[in-house]
Amino acid sequence: MKRCLSTLVPVFNTNRMVEEYLKKCYLPSHHRFVALSADGSKPAAELSKWRRRVLQGWNRVKVEGIEAPTGEMMKVGVEFPVKVRVNLGGLSPNDVEVQLCHGLLDSMGEIATPQALALKPASANGDTTVLYAGSVPCRSSGQFGFSVRVLPKHASLPNLFEPALVTWG
């Protein structure tokens, strides 16, 4: 029993836990607080204004089309190109991140371990529609699946999921 405890204590102890909380939670929160409260909390007010604008326009964000060689046989080592047309509904390309969620499919047809690739704006088509493009390197064989999602993006957000808004294509 002593040997088991001597190997677990360095990994599972309150000192390690507090240090991990400090690095993953408390320090990032403190740095974010300092940044948002600078200049009389002007960054916080700007973030709040951005949130209201994005929330009001989010229901108009739509994935209008996806272009990809879905029926073709791909070989390991080549790139899988994807183009996505997104109607931003009045938002700007700086307000969103368009991602291709991709990976190998499991026996149920689900992406087993999805990875997200941020697509880049390639061109604007009209007032609200933007073409995004990117490519995924094919690193292994098997059935491959993907989906497209649009998330709000702002430098002051702690992560892309924090506003609880997503549009799937």
Side-chain angles (χ1 to χ4, degrees):
M1 186 68 159
K2 279 186 175 180
R3 184 175 177 168
C4 181
L5 285 176
S6 68
T7 60
L8 290 176
V9 169
V11 179
F12 297 100
N13 63 64
T14 55
N15 187 48
R16 184 220 33 94
M17 180 185 71
V18 170
E19 185 177 328
E20 187 175 319
Y21 284 3
L22 178 70
K23 288 178 182 175
K24 289 186 177 180
C25 301
Y26 301 135
L27 283 177
S29 293
H30 171 72
H31 294 309
R32 186 164 179 252
F33 169 77
V34 169
L36 289 172
S37 58
D39 194 18
S41 296
K42 193 173 182 180
E46 290 171 0
L47 177 61
S48 178
K49 183 179 176 182
W50 175 86
R51 281 177 178 273
R52 282 191 300 277
R53 185 173 56 78
V54 168
L55 187 58
Q56 289 173 347
W58 196 258
N59 63 344
R60 295 188 309 270
V61 174
K62 304 269 187 281
V63 176
E64 293 185 338
I66 301 170
E67 299 172 27
T70 55
E72 297 178 22
M73 218 35 152
M74 303 296 290
K75 293 186 179 185
V76 173
V78 300
E79 299 262 320
F80 180 79
V82 178
K83 292 181 183 176
V84 180
R85 283 185 320 284
V86 180
N87 185 325
L88 297 178
L91 299 178
S92 87
N94 294 331
D95 292 327
V96 302
E97 182 167 297
V98 176
Q99 296 179 340
L100 181 74
C101 299
H102 63 90
L104 291 174
L105 299 179
D106 62 16
S107 60
M108 302 296 288
E110 300 291 327
I111 300 173
T113 52
Q115 295 180 336
L117 171 73
L119 302 176
K120 304 286 184 209
S123 67
N125 302 332
D127 294 338
T128 60
T129 303
V130 178
L131 181 68
Y132 288 82
S135 58
V136 180
C138 296
R139 294 193 176 114
S140 61
S141 61
Q143 284 192 311
F144 181 83
F146 66 90
S147 187
V148 174
R149 69 182 175 199
V150 183
L151 299 164
K153 180 179 83 172
H154 191 280
S156 294
L157 289 175
N159 63 66
L160 295 172
F161 301 104
E162 195 263 339
L165 298 170
V166 64
T167 297
W168 287 93

